[in-house]
Amino acid sequence: MNAVTLDHLSKTYPGGRQAVDSVSLTLEPGEVFGFLGPNGAGKTTTVKLLNGMLTPTRGSLRVFGLDPAAAPEKVHALSGVVTEHAQMYDHLTGLDNLIFYGALFGLDIPESRRRGQKLLAQMELSDAENVKLAAYSTGMRQRLSLARALLHRPSILFLDEPTSGLDPESAQKVHAMIRRLAAEQGCTVFLCTHQLRYAQEICTRYGLMEEGRLLAQGTLESLQARVGSGITLKLRLSSLPAFLEKRAVSLGEHLFALPIRTENEIPELVRQIAADGKDIFHVQAELPTLEDIYFALTNRPKETL
Ligand SMILES: Nc1ncnc2c1ncn2[C@@H]1O[C@H](COP(=O)(O)OP(=O)(O)OP(=O)(O)O)[C@@H](O)[C@H]1O
Ligand SMILES: [Mg+2]
């Protein structure tokens, strides 16, 4: 059974704004799916639909075969959610917050405490277990929020910008935890983010959204093949041979970028450069990154994401 199925899912808000426009996709169990797109693309709206907080205007959706609008409590029993601004209780300690939410998930107090302490340790928050949430930093709150989402051992995690507002080191920690969860516990992850570089480190597949529409979906390799922008060969040479003058771009002293179609071109090129009497200090083949793919598909200038 698919973990998630969206079938021509559409959502128009009462004011007339169409936030999600006929999106169809499926997630297999255990996938770490990156749902990517700029502000206003429809990511949060999709997560709210998946959690039964909103109902679709058209189309349908299922989470492990369940309709979130018809059976929200069944979906909540299977899923954990981390939103950008996690709401928890400032006057309770980190552990007491987890015990409280554990009770909502039907765990008894000793079990909530055990599970809470284990998760706090995993999130490197053991030292702050008895500290009131009011004194937590943003990064600590986000990690506590992840711990809360995991209390009932969900089969799927919906993470909406889980690292927004975190410094690079804290963001890295959260991403490492997400990767571990997926690898060790087989948890399916639906990760909304516009941080493409981080997404590329942890996701197994992607969906690229823009203005409510799904522009493309697939693995990095399939998306790379789709944009077809080929490989950029970075070369550090004593000087550029005349036969490459029209094809290569200078990137600085002795450094050149050369677009090629496939890796098979590299050995012959290297032989030709050497035969031309030039010294080769460095050769590196660079495939398009998720960012390159995104901007190629949307034709957006890079600063818009
Ligand atoms: N409650 C609402 N009522 C009306 N319009 C809304 C509502 N919530 C969101 N929208 C609109 O729907 C569109 C999609 O918003 P959404 O929050 O789903 O985007 P997003 O991809 O999560 O963006 P961000 O990266 O900024 O979080 C936007 O144009 C937004 O203004
Ligand atoms: Mg959002």
Side-chain angles (χ1 to χ4, degrees):
M1 185 193 296
N2 290 327
V4 170
T5 308
L6 308 185
D7 185 10
H8 295 92
L9 182 69
S10 300
K11 177 67 189 177
T12 303
Y13 281 107
R17 174 90 206 172
Q18 181 156 24
V20 178
D21 184 0
S22 201
V23 170
S24 297
L25 57 84
T26 56
L27 261 72
E28 300 276 327
E31 278 195 285
V32 181
F33 188 77
F35 200 53
L36 316 173
N39 294 143
K43 306 181 296 295
T44 298
T45 303
T46 305
V47 168
K48 286 182 176 169
L49 288 161
L50 284 163
N51 283 289
M53 290 163 68
L54 292 172
T55 50
T57 312
R58 278 187 308 283
S60 66
L61 72 167
R62 293 287 181 273
V63 177
F64 287 105
L66 299 164
D67 177 353
E73 68 295 339
K74 286 189 181 155
V75 172
H76 294 163
L78 289 173
S79 64
V81 190
V82 176
T83 57
E84 201 173 346
H85 304 289
Q87 295 296 320
M88 283 188 269
Y89 294 101
D90 265 1
H91 62 283
L92 294 180
T93 66
L95 182 58
D96 284 344
N97 263 291
L98 293 186
I99 292 172
F100 173 79
Y101 283 100
L104 294 187
F105 284 125
L107 307 181
D108 64 28
I109 290 181
E111 195 185 352
S112 279
R113 179 180 297 279
R114 263 198 312 277
R115 181 93 184 120
Q117 283 175 325
K118 187 168 173 223
L119 287 165
L120 286 168
Q122 274 179 21
M123 300 297 153
E124 299 178 13
L125 283 173
S126 292
D127 290 350
E129 161 179 320
N130 296 315
V131 173
K132 286 195 175 157
L133 198 62
Y136 272 43
S137 71
T138 311
M140 292 162 78
R141 278 169 191 264
Q142 284 297 66
R143 280 182 278 147
L144 186 68
S145 175
L146 195 53
R148 179 185 71 168
L150 292 168
L151 273 170
H152 58 308
R153 297 184 174 83
S155 306
I156 182 161
L157 265 184
F158 297 109
L159 306 175
D160 193 0
E161 306 283 359
T163 53
S164 109
L166 302 195
D167 64 46
E169 197 188 333
S170 309
Q172 204 73 47
K173 268 188 194 162
V174 169
H175 286 121
M177 284 163 194
I178 297 168
R179 195 179 1 216
R180 221 171 30 236
L181 271 170
E184 291 171 10
Q185 293 170 33
C187 189
T188 311
V189 178
F190 188 92
L191 170 70
C192 299
T193 185
H194 47 85
Q195 297 177 310
L196 301 187
R197 247 165 266 172
Y198 287 133
Q200 190 171 340
E201 287 172 23
I202 61 172
C203 297
T204 50
R205 215 158 57 84
Y206 307 90
L208 269 54
M209 291 285 287
E210 186 181 51
E211 292 179 6
R213 275 168 295 119
L214 187 67
L215 293 178
Q217 58 172 315
T219 60
L220 186 62
E221 293 70 31
S222 71
L223 293 171
Q224 281 166 338
R226 173 161 169 180
V227 298
S229 56
I231 300 170
T232 303
L233 204 59
K234 296 260 172 76
L235 297 157
R236 188 179 290 282
L237 307 171
S238 53
S239 65
L240 191 68
F243 75 92
L244 285 180
E245 264 167 17
K246 287 219 172 75
R247 286 176 60 195
V249 178
S250 172
L251 297 177
E253 216 182 337
H254 305 298
L255 192 62
F256 305 94
L258 181 69
I260 58 172
R261 272 186 306 280
T262 73
E263 284 181 343
N264 297 337
E265 295 175 46
I266 298 173
E268 183 56 25
L269 260 170
V270 168
R271 273 194 291 274
Q272 285 178 1
I273 295 168
D276 203 64
K278 310 300 186 207
D279 295 327
I280 303 170
F281 300 104
H282 181 88
V283 179
Q284 189 181 338
E286 289 183 357
L287 285 163
T289 63
L290 200 53
E291 263 185 350
D292 297 330
I293 292 165
Y294 187 84
F295 293 110
L297 286 171
T298 56
N299 293 315
R300 276 167 181 265
K302 275 210 171 186
E303 58 276 13
T304 57
L305 205 71

